[in-house]
Amino acid sequence: MSQPNDLSRSLVALDQDSTIIAVVEMSQSSWLVGGILPGIERQPRKKLEPNPERLLALLHRWRDESVRAGRTITRIAVAFEAGRDGFWLARWLEARGVETHVIHPSSVAVSREHRRAKTDRLDTELLKRGFLGWLRGERGHCSMARVPTIAEEDAKRPNRERECLVKERTRLVNRMKGTLARLGIRNFRLTLRNAAEHLAALSTPEGSPLPPNVAAELERDIARLRLVIGQIKQIEEARRQRLEEQPERGPHAMVRLLARVVGIGIETADMLVNEVLSRPLRDRRAVARYAGLTGAPDESGAKRREQGLAKAGNARVRRGMIQLAWRFLRFQNNSALAKWYQARTADHRGATRKTMIVALARKLLIALWRFVTIGEPLDGVTLRPAS
């Protein structure tokens, strides 16, 4: 049965005699556009500079060529792979009446030769064949990515920026600890508010003060650390204000509801909602697949083995859910999911626990998705009082 948001194939009938089909192989320096034109025997290719206006002009020129060849053009369908340029071009073309699709790069079948030829021209032909099969409604040629709105993309930025800043904070602290350890100093707390003032009083085990270059380097690193910590606090404060000012707005209401679960904080709730839970996913399988928490079986003849996680989805969600699964066992040990995990790891083998924690993360993500979208209660889970 077809689903309304099934992006594995087109649900619109293709009339190739009235449809211009174009694909764009995008790079930082140029765009190679390949087309299939009704009434035109040749399949043109044109290399352009990365300019949407020139791309639109090329599509209109191809449309005029087909009209002169006696065809009535009612549809222009364009596709390109998701990548560095994001989704802005898809939104720009859609606003100008061009049907645009964004292809999952990993869904396009490629040659399995050890050293396969790869050029922009060959990639364009590969995209053209996959896109044409998708437009015909045939499964297995390629899959499309949902094009998010600017607001949806912007909502992800604070959490992702904070993640980068936390990594930078950890890198700076570890670097300064290593610098001090080389001098034999191990008990100095670099995250203190007045750490810079205490640097002058530090001395090595030999009784000598810090070398001047080391002291200057540490002062600069501490100043950089203060800046990073301040930016993290700014992001957290801005998020708190948004949740207080618009508590009933769609994603914000989901965040507040998810944060009521004991063991889930605002940071994790915000990440899950903006990365996965607020997306219009088709079913529970799509939720698990988007997070990359599904398996990758390898079967051929009598050979049967599991390669582990597919890792084809959102890496942030996958990492966060596995961490949350361990935390969930600690704070919600009387829940149905925790008891399910405990029953299947009764042998206390490390390999069993490692495998089953991924299964728990998948089940937990699906349960949370149902909790915030359709209000299905979490069996045995303790909730904080509503605020």
Side-chain angles (χ1 to χ4, degrees):
M1 178 178 174
S2 299
Q3 300 289 339
N5 58 346
D6 184 4
L7 299 179
S8 63
R9 63 193 179 98
S10 176
L11 301 178
V12 179
L14 174 64
D15 180 9
Q16 201 164 336
D17 286 337
S18 62
T19 303
I20 289 179
I21 300 171
V23 296
V24 187
E25 175 63 24
M26 305 175 73
S27 67
Q28 189 171 354
S29 59
S30 63
W31 293 348
L32 182 61
V33 189
I36 301 175
L37 280 59
I40 306 296
E41 183 65 26
R42 66 184 177 88
Q43 295 188 1
R45 285 190 304 272
K46 178 69 174 178
K47 180 168 281 190
L48 305 174
E49 61 184 26
N51 187 318
E53 296 286 354
R54 292 197 59 184
L55 173 61
L56 186 62
L58 176 65
L59 295 174
H60 288 169
R61 192 184 80 195
W62 285 352
R63 180 189 60 190
D64 295 341
E65 288 183 23
S66 293
V67 170
R68 287 195 296 269
R71 296 293 192 275
T72 301
I73 301 302
T74 60
R75 183 183 182 190
I76 301 177
V78 178
F80 54 87
E81 288 182 304
R84 174 183 174 273
D85 287 279
F87 298 97
W88 70 270
L89 181 60
R91 291 191 293 261
W92 191 89
L93 289 172
E94 286 283 357
R96 286 153 181 81
V98 178
E99 178 186 334
T100 312
H101 304 278
V102 181
I103 302 173
H104 273 296
S106 60
S107 70
V108 180
V110 298
S111 171
R112 297 170 63 186
E113 294 175 339
H114 179 61
R115 290 188 177 180
R116 69 180 181 93
K118 185 184 184 306
T119 65
D120 286 347
R121 180 183 62 82
L122 293 176
D123 287 347
T124 302
E125 294 300 318
L126 200 65
L127 289 179
K128 198 185 298 181
R129 288 195 295 271
F131 186 40
L132 185 58
W134 185 88
L135 287 171
R136 291 193 185 114
E138 302 169 4
R139 296 184 184 274
H141 289 278
C142 63
S143 296
M144 298 299 171
R146 173 180 169 270
V147 178
T149 64
I150 294 180
E152 289 173 337
E153 285 196 301
D154 189 60
K156 299 178 181 179
R157 300 315 309 168
N159 188 275
R160 295 187 177 188
E161 182 188 3
R162 184 185 179 279
E163 182 182 0
C164 292
L165 290 172
V166 168
K167 289 180 180 178
E168 177 68 9
R169 180 181 64 186
T170 303
R171 188 190 68 83
L172 286 170
V173 170
N174 290 342
R175 174 182 167 181
M176 289 187 284
K177 283 183 177 179
T179 300
L180 292 173
R182 284 191 293 271
L183 298 174
I185 302 171
R186 298 179 178 275
N187 57 355
F188 185 69
R189 297 183 61 186
L190 294 158
T191 53
L192 291 174
R193 186 176 299 178
N194 53 356
E197 289 77 7
H198 291 171
L199 270 181
L202 275 182
S203 60
T204 65
E206 297 109 339
S208 59
L210 293 178
N213 289 335
V214 171
E217 178 186 349
L218 288 173
E219 287 178 1
R220 288 190 291 268
D221 283 343
I222 289 176
R224 199 174 301 133
L225 179 62
R226 282 180 175 176
L227 175 63
V228 170
I229 292 175
Q231 290 178 341
I232 292 173
K233 291 180 178 178
Q234 289 176 6
I235 293 172
E236 293 173 348
E237 178 62 22
R239 179 178 56 209
R240 185 189 62 80
Q241 291 181 358
R242 286 195 301 270
L243 290 175
E244 290 180 354
E245 291 172 359
Q246 299 176 321
E248 301 305 323
R249 185 183 167 192
H252 293 172
M254 286 185 177
V255 172
R256 292 170 67 89
L257 180 60
L258 206 58
R260 290 186 57 198
V261 178
V262 174
I264 300 181
I266 288 292
E267 185 61 38
T268 302
D270 185 66
M271 183 274 291
L272 289 176
V273 167
N274 289 308
E275 294 287 349
V276 59
L277 299 181
S278 60
R279 296 174 64 89
L281 295 169
R282 184 172 63 253
D283 52 26
R284 61 186 180 85
R285 293 183 179 87
V287 174
R289 188 164 53 247
Y290 179 79
L293 291 170
T294 53
D298 182 15
E299 298 184 3
S300 179
K303 182 178 70 173
R304 299 286 190 276
R305 72 186 183 95
E306 181 63 49
Q307 301 177 102
L309 289 179
K311 294 188 176 180
N314 190 313
R316 288 182 177 86
V317 177
R318 182 171 62 254
R319 290 194 304 266
M321 282 308 305
I322 291 176
Q323 293 171 4
L324 177 59
W326 288 114
R327 196 161 66 243
F328 188 82
L329 293 175
R330 178 183 176 188
F331 289 96
Q332 301 283 357
N333 58 347
N334 291 322
S335 64
L337 285 176
K339 291 178 180 177
W340 175 88
Y341 175 84
Q342 292 159 7
R344 281 157 179 78
T345 56
D347 57 3
H348 300 293
R349 294 179 60 244
T352 305
R353 289 169 56 84
K354 184 178 179 181
T355 300
M356 295 310 299
I357 199 64
V358 176
L360 176 62
R362 181 169 58 248
K363 283 180 169 290
L364 179 58
L365 178 60
I366 294 170
L368 294 176
W369 172 67
R370 288 171 170 165
F371 177 57
V372 299
T373 53
I374 63 175
E376 181 177 315
L378 300 168
D379 191 5
V381 170
T382 305
L383 301 179
R384 299 184 181 94
S387 59

